[in-house]
Amino acid sequence: MKKNFEEMSYDELLTEFKNIIKANGLKFTSQREAILRTLYDNPQHFTSENLYMLVKQRHPDLTIGIATVYRTLALLEENSLVSSISLGIQGKKFEIANKPHHDHLICKECGKIVEFGNEKIESLQHQIAKENGFELTDHLMQLYGVCSECKKET
Amino acid sequence: MKKNFEEMSYDELLTEFKNIIKANGLKFTSQREAILRTLYDNPQHFTSENLYMLVKQRHPDLTIGIATVYRTLALLEENSLVSSISLGIQGKKFEIANKPHHDHLICKECGKIVEFGNEKIESLQHQIAKENGFELTDHLMQLYGVCSECKKET
DNA sequence: CTGTGTGCAAACATTTTGCAAGCAG
DNA sequence: CTGCTTGCAAAATGTTTGCACACAG
């Protein structure tokens, strides 16, 4: 049974993380907390390197290595507290999994991003996966086009 | 104006490739042809390494290096003769772009890729774009999940 | 105390680049 | 001939691993 972490506050996420740690006989460390905290406060998509640098910047007192970032992201991802997607050229990116699901409509001219959710598409995606014997866990959908303002200009 | 290479025969693709080469002041070499030919004959998804080994196997007389494969794939992709998708775990994969439009269903465990096309989703995407004042030009849709075989193993 | 977690550096895996020689045009 | 292309090896990236010390429980 998969947990649903949508809309959770930081404290709730932290509690979940501690439970996961305890359940696996692991230990709660300041590095692990700093990573979760940084992911929570910056709900963008991170590369491992981005996250590593931001954690160091926000916690100058804490020593942390890139290896710990990789190890912690793997742990968080295994337990669905963060999700990762691979974005074309830009490599693998991570984000904390407490946001409601949405996809993106992106203007090729000005870069404007509109978030949208569409249940019909979601259900068709599940149907397609099912027809092919897949258990759907995730998807990436980005629509590219030209927004109304940029259309005017041309 | 973007070219449409759908359903092209090998000879047509080769002519396109030669035109691209000429137009850019480049040169037509046996390595470049061997790569295009191998991509055409094996319309699966290749990693660079896969393709490199298959080209060597199919053209034992030809000397070719991995660097040439990377360079040629980049050239082909810039000119839309091949398209690439990037997969979390398994790296970047390429396929020749003479197939009708389709999207991908990807197994997170073993990297297996299933192609699918769904007109309902395509039309919903256009509708979403329209509702937001966008003119849709393009999209990226990848569904991630676990395939039936990998499900068995767990 | 015990055993997990950590940083560091080395090891890996993948992709890119510099270079001198090869060859298409 | 000219200069683009190639293979090779070295370099650059991105990620993982081995190890000895640190520290949570």
Side-chain angles (χ1 to χ4, degrees):
Chain A
M1 188 54 210
K2 195 175 166 184
K3 266 266 178 188
N4 180 8
F5 302 111
E6 287 183 16
E7 310 287 1
M8 274 197 183
S9 68
Y10 178 67
D11 284 345
E12 290 170 315
L13 287 168
L14 185 58
T15 300
E16 286 294 336
F17 193 22
K18 284 181 176 173
N19 288 342
I20 289 163
I21 284 172
K22 194 171 295 175
N24 290 75
L26 307 178
K27 293 174 182 183
F28 184 71
T29 66
S30 47
Q31 284 86 349
R32 285 176 175 162
E33 176 164 20
I35 288 169
L36 185 69
R37 178 87 229 176
T38 302
L39 282 164
Y40 179 81
D41 289 339
N42 301 76
Q44 315 115 20
H45 292 264
F46 283 112
T47 62
S48 311
E49 189 67 22
N50 285 162
L51 180 58
Y52 169 58
M53 296 203 287
L54 192 56
V55 170
K56 283 213 300 196
Q57 181 186 312
R58 294 193 28 151
H59 301 262
D61 48 321
L62 189 69
T63 66
I64 189 166
I66 188 74
T68 296
V69 173
Y70 279 103
R71 288 186 281 226
T72 302
L73 281 172
L75 174 63
L76 288 166
E77 191 174 9
E78 276 164 30
N79 291 282
S80 306
L81 274 169
V82 309
S83 59
S84 73
I85 55 175
S86 55
L87 294 163
I89 325 167
Q90 317 170 56
K92 195 173 185 181
K93 295 204 175 183
F94 299 85
E95 70 176 336
I96 194 156
N98 69 329
K99 292 189 286 189
H101 172 72
H102 59 267
D103 291 298
H104 297 109
L105 180 55
I106 301 161
C107 178
K108 277 182 161 178
E109 300 291 323
C110 66
K112 182 164 66 190
I113 297 176
V114 176
E115 295 182 353
F116 69 88
N118 184 295
E119 292 193 4
K120 282 186 199 165
I121 291 182
E122 305 279 324
S123 95
L124 285 166
Q125 288 174 336
H126 274 90
Q127 191 184 311
I128 290 163
K130 204 172 176 182
E131 284 166 6
N132 290 282
F134 276 62
E135 187 179 320
L136 195 59
T137 56
D138 212 351
H139 73 252
L140 174 62
M141 178 166 59
Q142 295 174 2
L143 309 185
Y144 298 95
V146 183
C147 74
S148 49
E149 286 168 34
C150 291
K151 262 189 288 186
K152 281 183 211 154
E153 290 164 20
T154 45
Chain B
M1 189 53 210
K2 194 176 166 182
K3 264 268 178 186
N4 181 5
F5 301 111
E6 287 181 17
E7 310 288 0
M8 273 196 182
S9 68
Y10 179 66
D11 284 346
E12 290 171 314
L13 287 168
L14 185 58
T15 301
E16 286 295 335
F17 192 22
K18 285 182 176 171
N19 287 344
I20 288 163
I21 284 171
K22 195 171 293 174
N24 290 75
L26 307 178
K27 294 173 182 182
F28 183 71
T29 65
S30 46
Q31 283 85 348
R32 284 176 177 163
E33 175 165 20
I35 289 169
L36 185 68
R37 179 86 229 178
T38 303
L39 281 165
Y40 179 81
D41 289 337
N42 302 76
Q44 314 116 17
H45 294 85
F46 284 113
T47 61
S48 312
E49 189 68 21
N50 285 163
L51 181 57
Y52 169 58
M53 296 202 287
L54 192 56
V55 170
K56 281 211 300 197
Q57 180 187 311
R58 293 192 30 148
H59 301 262
D61 47 322
L62 188 69
T63 66
I64 189 166
I66 187 74
T68 297
V69 174
Y70 278 104
R71 287 185 283 226
T72 302
L73 281 172
L75 174 64
L76 288 166
E77 191 173 7
E78 276 164 31
N79 292 282
S80 307
L81 274 169
V82 308
S83 60
S84 71
I85 57 175
S86 64
L87 309 161
I89 332 163
Q90 306 232 337
K92 199 173 183 181
K93 295 201 174 183
F94 298 85
E95 68 179 336
I96 195 156
N98 68 330
K99 292 188 280 188
H101 171 72
H102 58 269
D103 291 297
H104 297 108
L105 179 55
I106 301 158
C107 178
K108 276 185 160 178
E109 300 290 324
C110 68
K112 183 165 65 190
I113 299 172
V114 176
E115 298 178 354
F116 68 88
N118 185 296
E119 292 193 3
K120 281 186 199 164
I121 291 182
E122 304 278 325
S123 97
L124 284 167
Q125 287 174 335
H126 274 91
Q127 190 185 312
I128 289 163
K130 204 172 177 181
E131 284 167 6
N132 289 281
F134 276 62
E135 186 180 320
L136 195 60
T137 56
D138 213 349
H139 74 254
L140 175 63
M141 178 165 60
Q142 297 175 4
L143 309 187
Y144 298 94
V146 183
C147 76
S148 48
E149 285 168 36
C150 292
K151 259 188 289 186
K152 279 182 213 154
E153 288 164 22
T154 47

